[in-house]
Amino acid sequence: MGRRRNARSKKRNRKERALTVQTHLVEVLRDSPKGPPVLAERAAVHLVKSSRRHRLPLPKDAKELVCRKCWSHHVHADAFRVRIKAGQRIKTCLTCGTVRRYGGGPGFHRRAQRSG
C-alpha cells in the first residue's frame, strides 16, 4: 500500500516541479529583450527539452516564442519574419527556415460550416 502511494506522489511532485520550471523559463523568454541574448537562447532550448522529457505540452503563450525545429527563441525581431496573407499570419524562422501558419484566414470557419 505504501509503495504505490509513494510512487504516485513522486510522479505528481515531478510533474509539479516541471510545470514550475516551464513557467519560469517562459518568464525568462518574455523578459529576454532586457537581458543578454544568450540567456534567452538557452532558456528556449531548456524549455523545449524539459517539456519533452516530462511529456508536457508547451504552454499556449510560449508556443510562438520558440521554433519547434531548431529551438531558437522568437522574441527579437531579427529571429523571425511575420507576413499576413489572406487573414492568416505566417511566421518564418530565419535560423532554419521553418514556416508556421496561425489562423485559418478569412471565412475559413464559414466555409467549413457550409460544406457540413
Side-chain angles (χ1 to χ4, degrees):
M1 181 168 107
R3 290 175 115 180
R4 218 177 228 178
R5 186 177 299 154
N6 192 16
R8 270 189 245 137
S9 67
K10 282 183 182 179
K11 186 175 180 180
R12 191 178 319 114
N13 289 339
R14 180 187 57 82
K15 190 172 184 176
E16 288 173 2
R17 285 193 305 267
L19 287 171
T20 57
V21 167
Q22 268 190 347
T23 56
H24 178 70
L25 289 171
V26 169
E27 289 173 12
V28 169
L29 278 175
R30 280 205 200 107
D31 296 336
S32 66
K34 301 173 190 171
V38 176
L39 179 67
E41 196 67 41
R42 298 309 307 162
V45 169
H46 284 297
L47 177 66
V48 176
K49 277 188 174 184
S50 68
S51 297
R52 288 185 179 180
R53 180 182 302 128
H54 297 290
R55 295 183 179 183
L56 296 171
L58 283 175
K60 287 185 179 183
D61 52 346
K63 283 185 179 183
E64 294 187 32
L65 296 177
V66 179
C67 176
R68 286 189 176 186
K69 187 173 181 184
C70 67
W71 301 351
S72 66
H73 69 292
H74 285 177
V75 179
H76 301 293
D78 57 345
F80 63 96
R81 176 178 54 230
V82 177
R83 303 283 170 95
I84 298 175
K85 184 176 181 180
Q88 188 177 43
R89 193 167 34 127
I90 302 169
K91 197 171 183 181
T92 306
C93 178
L94 297 179
T95 307
C96 64
T98 302
V99 177
R100 296 285 314 266
R101 290 174 175 82
Y102 300 97
F108 174 77
H109 302 290
R110 288 179 290 207
R111 277 186 262 141
Q113 288 176 353
R114 265 189 267 149
S115 64

